[in-house]
Amino acid sequence: MSSNQHYSFFQSVEKSFDKAAKFTKWDLGLLEQIKACNSVYQMRFPVKLDNGNIEVIEAYRVQHSQHKSPCKGGIRFSDEVNQDEVMALASLMTYKCAIVNVPFGGGKGGIKINPRNYSTYELEKITRRYTAELVKKNFIGPGIDVPAPDYGTGPREMAWIVDTYASLKPGEIDAAGCVTGKPVTQGGVRGRTEATGLGVFFGIREVCNMPDVMQKLGLKVGLQGKTVVVQGLGNVGYHSAKFFREGGAKVVALAEFEGAIYCEEGLNEDEVFQHRKKTGSILNFPGAKNLAKNTDALELACDILIPAALENVINGDNAPNVKAKIIGEAANGPCTPEADEIFSKNGILCVPDMYLNAGGVTVSYFEWLKNLSHVRYGRMEKRFTENLNTHILGQIEELTGKRVDDIERKFIMHGPDEQDLVHSGLEETMIAATREIMDIWKENPSIPDMRTAAYVSAINKVATSYVELGIFP
Ligand code: NAD
């Protein structure tokens, strides 16, 4: 999501909040408290570069809300980092976590650097020093504030953070829970890579399983045979396309920045990905038609459109040409407020980013739980379940005199491993959040769109939490 001409990014988040707050019963003071950023830590620290020069680095950590502990949110390395942006992103994290029932307050961090301008050694020094600054001010810890990756950071940076934290806090048994998005060997969790794309799939599938919603859109219930267009074949787009295809939908078009392709019979995202790797372009994929411009894909007739690349790609100019019935905002902020208004008028359902792409933070929560419990998911029950299932199956076969085929046998006997449990937890999370938002919308049909209903869901949960804490009796 980016700022518009009149408002800063943080102010535009406040505006969306105010729009939704009108549909709640909470008093003004409480709403003001929810909106406010509780703690903003702006820091400067020196780093000696490889050439011997000293550079002063500007960095931030914002804790928007402590209505639940710890705070949670990524760390961004970018030239564009500024206090307003970090505050806006931290507040969005509060609402996102509340919507998907992840019991964290919102946080966000940023270091104002372009990581491409630094050597690996310099990046390591900057990351470790930033972590040390957070430790000094009590701004990091498994019960205080738990960062994660964002633009420009990944598992490597998270490994540096946990190592620095653990060395400054000797003997802290839960140190691994001070950050998520770690490599699996350093306390990370399996199933994180595909989490956002899988969450998008679960959310949209649930919407498609709602008979009243489908009736309004003039669509059949269920995902089977629905046509899907995906923009962006990166982490989120690739995995969304994969799960939609495996779930029975037909991915008829894929768009990348160099162009877009269309195939009525459906595309296999991995074959397209391999073709792009080999030829350097998504175009000229065997059996598919090239589209003149990559943005043409956004205007194709289809049931579901998944923008999974950039912000502001659907705006006042092209929204009137969108023919999809459902838009699933996999990217952050792909549709502008002007586009939202046009969708409402044209009867298009836009499923909002704030909850639909929450798979990453949901699985981060599972990683944190794993770190606190000091045991891999599935370790205690996998064999037990397999032994039990083998026994039950044996009894059924003996009693019926029939033998189950090998594929079914494998499926029935399988005990859950870490990835199975993480996927299952994500499925439950996304289904529950979708139903909660839709129920709010149904109860109050004057709520203009699903985005506003999602905000209402967030506000109600955070407000209830404050009231139950006794802060606002
Ligand atoms: P990514 O860099 O892996 O993928 C983005 C893809 O979009 C790239 O392949 C890029 O070439 C393509 N692209 C760029 N410009 C394009 C254009 N004009 N048309 C079509 N394709 C274009 O990034 P990602 O992690 O997949 O993230 C995508 C979006 O999802 C971002 O908005 C991000 O903030 C959001 N998001 C990501 C996660 C996550 O877990 N990765 C979580 C929540 C939200």
Side-chain angles (χ1 to χ4, degrees):
M1 212 179 287
S2 69
S3 57
N4 60 31
Q5 279 177 324
H6 313 288
Y7 299 98
S8 75
F9 187 5
F10 183 64
Q11 285 170 329
S12 71
V13 175
E14 289 192 305
K15 222 173 141 243
S16 306
F17 181 100
D18 292 341
K19 185 175 162 192
K22 285 192 292 226
F23 299 99
T24 71
K25 61 178 171 55
W26 307 103
D27 74 48
L28 213 61
L30 177 48
L31 292 169
E32 285 302 314
Q33 168 55 44
I34 296 172
K35 267 198 290 183
C37 268
N38 289 355
S39 320
V40 181
Y41 176 21
Q42 187 198 97
M43 67 192 99
R44 301 276 197 285
F45 54 81
V47 169
K48 197 174 218 176
L49 303 176
D50 293 348
N51 63 11
N53 291 346
I54 289 172
E55 188 178 321
V56 180
I57 304 286
E58 177 184 333
Y60 301 86
R61 184 72 192 174
V62 171
Q63 296 172 351
H64 171 257
S65 174
Q66 283 100 351
H67 73 287
K68 300 265 175 202
S69 287
C71 292
K72 187 93 194 78
I75 295 176
R76 174 172 290 205
F77 286 4
S78 154
D79 270 342
E80 312 283 314
V81 162
N82 60 65
Q83 186 173 320
D84 182 84
E85 181 190 77
V86 187
M87 284 167 63
L89 293 166
S91 54
L92 287 172
M93 284 304 297
T94 295
Y95 310 135
K96 181 176 265 194
C97 289
I99 293 169
V100 291
N101 301 305
V102 164
F104 293 146
K108 203 80 183 189
I111 304 185
K112 193 176 166 56
I113 54 164
N114 178 349
R116 268 175 278 178
N117 297 341
Y118 297 85
S119 69
T120 305
Y121 182 54
E122 288 168 340
L123 287 172
E124 180 172 351
K125 280 209 282 191
I126 293 168
T127 309
R128 286 184 183 276
R129 178 64 191 255
Y130 176 74
T131 311
E133 295 297 325
L134 294 178
V135 170
K136 275 196 248 172
K137 292 281 191 296
N138 225 8
F139 256 70
I140 185 171
I144 298 168
D145 190 351
V146 180
D150 195 69
Y151 287 109
T153 58
R156 179 184 69 173
E157 285 73 18
M158 303 307 115
W160 290 333
I161 291 173
V162 70
D163 185 58
T164 308
Y165 181 86
S167 62
L168 292 173
K169 299 258 180 179
E172 186 170 317
I173 189 133
D174 292 330
C178 77
V179 65
T180 60
K182 304 178 291 292
V184 172
T185 54
Q186 304 302 313
V189 74
R190 290 162 189 83
R192 161 93 199 192
T193 313
E194 66 276 27
T196 305
L198 183 58
V200 168
F201 164 75
F202 285 141
I204 297 292
R205 187 189 65 185
E206 187 57 19
V207 167
C208 290
N209 283 339
M210 296 177 162
D212 49 340
V213 178
M214 288 301 102
Q215 197 194 5
K216 252 197 233 155
L217 295 171
L219 292 172
K220 270 204 266 172
V221 175
L223 209 54
Q224 198 62 35
K226 288 218 165 32
T227 52
V228 182
V229 172
V230 180
Q231 181 197 39
L233 203 53
N235 174 298
V236 179
Y238 175 92
H239 288 107
S240 301
K242 173 181 185 308
F243 294 115
F244 275 114
R245 179 179 55 76
E246 290 175 356
K250 208 160 65 165
V251 180
V252 291
L254 287 168
E256 256 297 334
F257 73 93
E258 69 274 12
I261 53 172
Y262 175 83
C263 176
E264 206 184 325
E265 288 78 45
L267 294 158
N268 177 306
E269 72 297 326
D270 197 54
E271 289 171 9
V272 176
F273 184 81
Q274 298 306 336
H275 168 80
R276 186 170 190 243
K277 218 163 114 184
K278 207 165 76 190
T279 66
S281 168
I282 197 174
L283 296 170
N284 304 320
F285 180 72
K289 209 171 80 185
N290 292 339
L291 300 183
K293 292 190 294 236
N294 69 355
T295 46
D296 288 349
L298 302 172
E299 300 176 15
L300 286 170
C302 63
D303 298 318
I304 302 165
L305 172 62
I306 305 288
L310 305 168
E311 60 283 347
N312 298 338
V313 292
I314 308 177
N315 44 51
D317 296 335
N318 61 355
N321 305 331
V322 169
K323 294 170 202 73
K325 302 272 173 46
I326 301 170
I327 297 171
E329 290 190 321
N332 279 319
C335 305
T336 64
E338 294 78 41
D340 265 350
E341 276 172 30
I342 295 166
F343 298 152
S344 291
K345 254 188 249 147
N346 292 351
I348 294 170
L349 174 68
C350 182
V351 184
D353 49 359
M354 212 181 12
Y355 110 93
L356 192 65
N357 66 25
V361 69
T362 303
V363 172
S364 271
Y365 169 47
F366 300 154
E367 179 176 336
W368 179 78
L369 290 175
K370 173 188 181 178
N371 297 148
L372 297 191
S373 62
H374 299 264
V375 63
R376 159 174 60 81
Y377 287 105
R379 179 166 174 178
M380 306 303 282
E381 67 266 43
K382 183 174 169 64
R383 290 292 149 190
F384 181 85
T385 307
E386 284 184 359
N387 292 341
L388 184 66
N389 291 352
T390 307
H391 187 79
I392 295 171
L393 193 60
Q395 288 291 307
I396 293 173
E397 286 183 337
E398 205 181 300
L399 289 169
T400 58
K402 286 184 184 151
R403 198 177 179 283
V404 167
D405 74 52
D406 285 348
I407 296 174
E408 276 302 314
R409 168 175 300 276
K410 215 172 136 191
F411 181 77
I412 295 169
M413 282 174 31
H414 177 74
D417 57 26
E418 183 159 273
Q419 195 182 35
D420 295 324
L421 292 166
V422 164
H423 283 186
S424 163
L426 180 59
E427 182 173 13
E428 166 60 19
T429 302
M430 293 307 294
I431 290 175
T434 311
R435 290 185 184 168
E436 285 174 4
I437 297 168
M438 285 302 194
D439 284 348
I440 287 173
W441 202 5
K442 269 179 230 162
E443 269 168 34
N444 191 345
S446 55
I447 293 176
D449 47 40
M450 196 174 169
R451 192 184 314 283
T452 310
Y455 261 100
V456 171
S457 169
I459 294 170
N460 285 342
K461 288 181 197 173
V462 181
T464 305
S465 186
Y466 269 117
V467 170
E468 282 169 2
L469 279 171
I471 296 173
F472 292 92

